[in-house]
């Protein structure tokens, strides 16, 4: 049985204010927990079902482990059904992100859906990006739904939340700042190479005017059908692929 004090602590981490207060976050599901354990992030505690524990390698000796039921896991976490594992991890120290030569940074402005944010972090991992800068109006990168959507990429991608317009103003003036926009240049007619910052805006409105004003080039993804717009993660995937054609 999970003690009441431990259960109360786990439930508190469902909310951002308590994640910040305690400096910890939840990781749910067997794959994500295994990614956490094999990373440099610090693990506080792990809860496993007996069936899942029998299928995985022994856990590090310094990580407290509790064997619990599937019902216990589901009651502790946020998933509708969890049959494998849940872990508590320490929030990593903030990593200031600055552009590096021949590498692209992804910057996100007001991406408020945690599923989209997690998918964007996963895309950054896939393309080997330098990191992800999130505006302070984005969804919480350490929310359970965001972590789940990264599919483990939260362990490999540096994430930094900032006032985005102010951060953009600190960058060298000659650094390219790209952003998706309906009035932009057809991305399929450009020769793009990794370098600079690619800025993706909210799902419904795109980047804010103060962010658009700081772009050096707007990029447009042409379509032939009748859809009004593309999901922000889908748009980012298309643009990132155009930057990394040489892979």
């Amino acid at each position: 049985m999970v003690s009441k004090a431990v259960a109360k602590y786990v439930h508190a981490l469902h909310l951002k204010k308590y994640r910040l207060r305690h400096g910890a976050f939840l990781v749910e599901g067997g794959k994500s927990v295994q990614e956490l354990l094999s990373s440099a992030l610090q693990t506080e505690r792990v809860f496993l079902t007996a069936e899942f524990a029998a299928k995985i390698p022994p856990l590090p000796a310094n990580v407290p482990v509790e064997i619990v039921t599937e019902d216990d896991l589901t009651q502790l976490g946020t998933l509708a059904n969890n049959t494998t594992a849940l872990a508590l991890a320490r929030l990593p120290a903030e990593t200031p992100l600055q552009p590096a030569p021949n590498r692209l940074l992804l910057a996100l402005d007001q991406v408020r859906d945690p599923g989209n944010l997690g998918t964007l972090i996963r895309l950054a991992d896939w393309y080997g990006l330098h990191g992800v800068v999130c505006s302070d109006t984005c969804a919480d990168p350490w929310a359970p739904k965001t972590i789940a959507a990264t599919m483990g990429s939260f362990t490999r991608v540096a994430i930094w939340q900032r006032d985005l317009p102010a951060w953009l103003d600190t960058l060298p003036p000659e650094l390219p700042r790209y952003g998706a926009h309906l009035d932009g240049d057809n991305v399929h007619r450009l020769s793009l190479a990794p370098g600079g910052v690619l800025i993706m805006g909210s799902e419904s409105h795109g980047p804010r005017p103060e962010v658009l004003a700081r772009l050096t080039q707007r990029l447009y993804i042409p379509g032939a059908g009748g859809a009004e717009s593309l999901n922000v993660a889908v748009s980012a995937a298309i643009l990132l692929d155009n930057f990394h054609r040489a892979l």
Side-chain angles (χ1 to χ4, degrees):
M1 282 289 291
V2 178
S3 72
K4 289 184 178 180
V6 170
K8 182 179 179 181
Y9 176 54
V10 175
H11 289 147
L13 298 182
H14 292 201
L15 300 177
K16 181 177 181 178
K17 67 177 181 179
Y18 293 114
R19 289 193 290 272
L20 294 175
R21 181 178 300 177
H22 295 295
F25 66 102
L26 293 181
V27 179
E28 300 180 83
K31 182 184 186 307
S32 292
V33 169
Q34 287 185 286
E35 292 272 13
L36 169 67
L37 291 168
S38 63
S39 75
L41 296 176
Q42 182 182 348
T43 305
E44 282 188 355
R45 185 185 295 261
V46 177
F47 304 90
L48 304 171
T49 62
E51 182 179 4
F52 185 69
K55 296 178 180 178
I56 63 174
L59 272 62
N62 62 334
V63 177
V65 179
E66 292 190 44
I67 302 300
V68 298
T69 67
E70 292 181 13
D71 284 344
D72 288 333
L73 282 185
T74 302
Q75 290 174 15
L76 285 172
T78 66
L79 300 178
N81 187 36
N82 187 351
T83 63
T84 53
L86 179 150
L88 311 181
R90 301 300 301 170
L91 288 172
E94 281 197 328
T95 303
L97 289 171
Q98 294 297 325
N102 303 316
R103 295 188 72 184
L104 195 64
L105 267 174
L106 181 62
L108 307 177
D109 187 39
Q110 300 199 114
V111 176
R112 291 175 172 148
D113 181 89
N116 281 337
L117 179 56
T119 302
L120 288 158
I121 293 169
R122 189 178 179 190
L123 280 168
D125 187 20
W126 179 260
Y127 284 101
L129 299 195
H130 190 44
V132 177
V133 178
C134 299
S135 72
D136 50 11
T137 51
C138 279
D140 183 6
W142 306 106
K145 287 183 179 179
T146 309
I147 295 296
T150 72
M151 296 296 289
S153 292
F154 71 94
T155 63
R156 291 179 291 273
V157 176
I159 302 165
W160 200 29
Q161 280 203 287
R162 311 307 297 162
D163 178 323
L164 193 57
W167 175 75
L168 290 170
D169 286 341
T170 69
L171 301 179
E174 68 277 8
L175 187 82
R177 298 165 180 80
Y178 304 98
H181 198 273
L182 291 175
D183 294 328
D185 299 318
N186 185 332
V187 69
H188 299 310
R189 297 176 183 170
L190 301 173
S191 295
L192 300 171
V197 182
L198 173 62
I199 302 161
M200 303 300 300
S202 73
E203 293 82 355
S204 54
H205 303 294
R208 288 170 289 171
E210 58 266 39
V211 174
L212 284 174
R214 289 163 168 83
L215 299 182
T216 60
Q217 188 169 13
R218 301 182 183 191
L219 305 176
Y220 170 62
I221 302 169
E228 181 182 1
S229 62
L230 289 173
N231 170 277
V232 62
V234 172
S235 297
I238 294 170
L239 294 177
L240 287 171
D241 206 61
N242 277 274
F243 277 98
H244 294 87
R245 290 176 186 172
L247 281 179

